[in-house]
Amino acid sequence: MAFLSDTLARVKPSPTIAVTTRAAELKAAGRDVIGLGAGEPDFDTPQNIKDAAKRAIDEGRTKYTAVDGIAELKQAICAKFLRENGLTYTPAQVSVGTGGKQILYNALMATCNPGDDVIIPAPYWVSYPDMVYLAGGTPVPVVCGIDTGFKLSPAQLEAAITPRTKWFIFNSPSNPTGAGYTRAELKALTDVLMRHPHVWVMSDDMYEHLVFDDFEFTTPAQVEPGLYDRTLTCNGVSKAYAMTGWRIGYAAGPVALIRAMGTIQSQSTSNPSSISQYAALEGLNGPQDFLAENRALFQRRRDLVVRMLNDAPGIVCPTPAGAFYVYPDIGGCIGKTSPAGTQITDDEVFATALLEETGVAVVFGAAFGVSPNFRVSYATSDTALTEACTRIQTFCRGLR
Ligand SMILES: Cc1ncc(COP(=O)(O)O)c(C=O)c1O
């Protein structure tokens, strides 16, 4: 009898975590490493949120809570959906979990059967396909290249849907490309979904607050109210409120689905940390002005990185609408040889050579389902970004 499960054989560990680990190893060995791999803001959780957590501890809010979230937080989440997205939900339609990741995972675990397909536009967040595998379903990636701004077209969505399709996962702004769908682009996709009533929509709105220029964030159930009864609108405090370590994510959708997700959570992790829930409550109900400050900061960094990467020979870097990632194409580098003599055959080799030869850590595109590219997270200081991009330029100029 094999010790490890058959399910595990279909799943690979997160490549983004692998890159971060390798970069940390090199750093520990004394190398000068700049990590552009991590997907989290580089600044601290706002003080009012930290204070709320301290208060929660002092007030003894340290016991088990309701499995899928305290009532006050569910109320705050309903208020957030109404205020920011024009979506009306009741607390019974809301689930709170240990990060956005657990929320998505619970939903897939609660609904996927063998033979169920899940449509995932690629480039995708690395965890989607593996979570689908863990849940027993089959991921169906649909490649969206640089020519369409890494965005899915209505024709591609229509062609991907079959009687086996259970979910369509939608993520805008996107990890890893930063691509954001305009209201019109999203409406064109929801029009397709309206013709296929058996397809459920999982909208991952994690980067909602990180949008630039005059981009307007929208979410499927808002753009097409006809999808409300088969949409799970997912979000969380990790990225917007610089709370990645606190592990609070949430979603709203039909009561039956929310209850089923609660059952999965009740038999696995139970409630998310009580203290983190009170912190998230302050995040959602407290002052929101730092969101605009963060947006301005990230937009400046985006512009810096896009400009510098486009100056590197062999690299084409589109300007994304949101998140804190860029996803440059490195087609012009493939087939060349690095200064230390490595033949750049694909984006994984490129990223490894870049790390080993220059100390800049990025994640290779194959991890996200579209090559040859790499992902830069620009959630780090201007100084580090300028130095990293200068090294990338030098590396690319040295390719022969
Ligand atoms: C697109 C996307 N969805 C969900 C998550 C999960 O966020 P959390 O840290 O709240 O689990 C991430 C985190 O990287 C993400 O990039």
Side-chain angles (χ1 to χ4, degrees):
M1 188 205 292
F3 177 58
L4 297 177
S5 72
D6 294 345
T7 305
L8 195 67
R10 307 207 295 167
V11 173
K12 55 185 181 330
S14 163
T16 44
I17 292 174
V19 169
T20 314
T21 308
R22 178 69 186 136
E25 280 169 9
L26 287 175
K27 216 171 194 164
R31 287 281 304 275
D32 170 20
V33 171
I34 307 176
L36 303 181
E40 60 182 346
D42 55 313
F43 37 84
D44 206 2
T45 306
Q47 191 59 44
N48 62 311
I49 296 177
K50 293 203 271 189
D51 290 342
K54 289 180 201 161
R55 258 195 325 276
I57 295 174
D58 290 341
E59 288 168 4
R61 303 197 189 277
T62 52
K63 305 279 198 273
Y64 291 129
T65 73
V67 165
D68 64 356
I70 55 174
E72 304 94 299
L73 182 52
K74 288 189 174 191
Q75 281 291 0
I77 291 165
C78 292
K80 173 259 175 294
F81 278 124
L82 189 59
R83 178 176 76 232
E84 297 181 346
N85 311 110
L87 290 170
T88 303
Y89 291 110
T90 62
Q93 290 178 281
V94 172
S95 187
V96 184
T98 300
K101 201 172 223 172
Q102 187 183 26
I103 286 292
L104 300 165
Y105 184 68
N106 285 345
L108 292 166
M109 286 297 284
T111 55
C112 284
N113 287 311
D116 288 348
D117 287 349
V118 177
I119 296 175
I120 305 174
Y124 43 69
W125 179 43
V126 291
S127 294
Y128 297 144
D130 292 286
M131 286 202 272
V132 172
Y133 278 133
L134 280 170
T138 306
V140 178
V142 182
V143 171
C144 312
I146 196 167
D147 46 320
T148 58
F150 304 115
K151 287 186 261 190
L152 184 74
S153 71
Q156 281 180 302
L157 177 58
E158 184 80 61
I161 293 173
T162 73
R164 291 186 309 278
T165 307
K166 175 139 268 167
W167 286 100
F168 165 56
I169 300 186
F170 178 74
N171 175 220
S172 165
S174 144
N175 178 3
T177 64
Y181 291 70
T182 64
R183 182 183 278 270
E185 287 166 341
L186 179 50
K187 183 68 172 62
L189 294 180
T190 60
D191 285 350
V192 173
L193 292 162
M194 287 305 287
R195 292 198 287 275
H196 300 278
H198 68 291
V199 179
W200 283 66
V201 185
M202 192 176 293
S203 185
D204 180 349
D205 300 351
M206 195 53 84
Y207 295 94
E208 164 177 18
H209 287 294
L210 295 168
V211 293
F212 311 129
D213 305 317
D214 52 1
F215 182 85
E216 180 209 3
F217 171 85
T218 52
T219 188
Q222 166 192 29
V223 165
E224 177 48 82
L227 288 174
Y228 179 86
D229 289 333
R230 52 184 167 111
T231 297
L232 185 68
T233 305
C234 308
N235 212 316
V237 294
S238 298
K239 315 285 176 172
Y241 297 89
M243 291 179 69
T244 47
W246 299 76
R247 312 306 304 129
I248 296 291
Y250 58 84
V255 171
L257 171 61
I258 294 296
R259 279 211 195 110
M261 290 164 60
T263 303
I264 303 282
Q265 192 158 302
S266 73
Q267 298 296 18
S268 50
T269 60
S270 291
N271 63 274
S273 153
S274 57
I275 297 149
S276 297
Q277 291 189 67
Y278 284 97
L281 179 63
E282 171 63 20
L284 293 177
N285 284 351
Q288 307 289 310
D289 22 311
F290 69 94
L291 293 175
E293 289 160 28
N294 292 352
R295 259 197 301 275
L297 177 84
F298 279 127
Q299 182 167 327
R300 205 186 61 233
R301 290 175 177 175
R302 176 201 64 171
D303 293 342
L304 168 83
V305 169
V306 167
R307 181 174 48 74
M308 289 193 74
L309 289 180
N310 277 319
D311 278 345
I315 291 186
V316 175
C317 184
T319 304
F324 39 62
Y325 308 105
V326 290
Y327 198 66
D329 176 290
I330 56 160
C333 303
I334 302 298
K336 300 199 165 167
T337 304
S338 77
T342 305
Q343 252 246 301
I344 308 295
T345 46
D346 59 31
D347 53 27
E348 184 166 3
V349 175
F350 177 94
T352 306
L354 188 70
L355 178 58
E356 302 294 339
E357 296 180 30
T358 75
V360 175
V362 298
V363 187
F364 56 94
F368 307 100
V370 172
S371 289
N373 294 73
F374 63 87
R375 186 192 77 173
V376 163
S377 164
Y378 54 83
T380 190
S381 73
D382 290 23
T383 319
L385 288 172
T386 306
E387 174 60 21
C389 290
T390 304
R391 290 189 202 178
I392 294 172
Q393 288 175 346
T394 308
F395 180 78
C396 288
R397 287 194 187 114
L399 294 175
R400 291 288 170 260

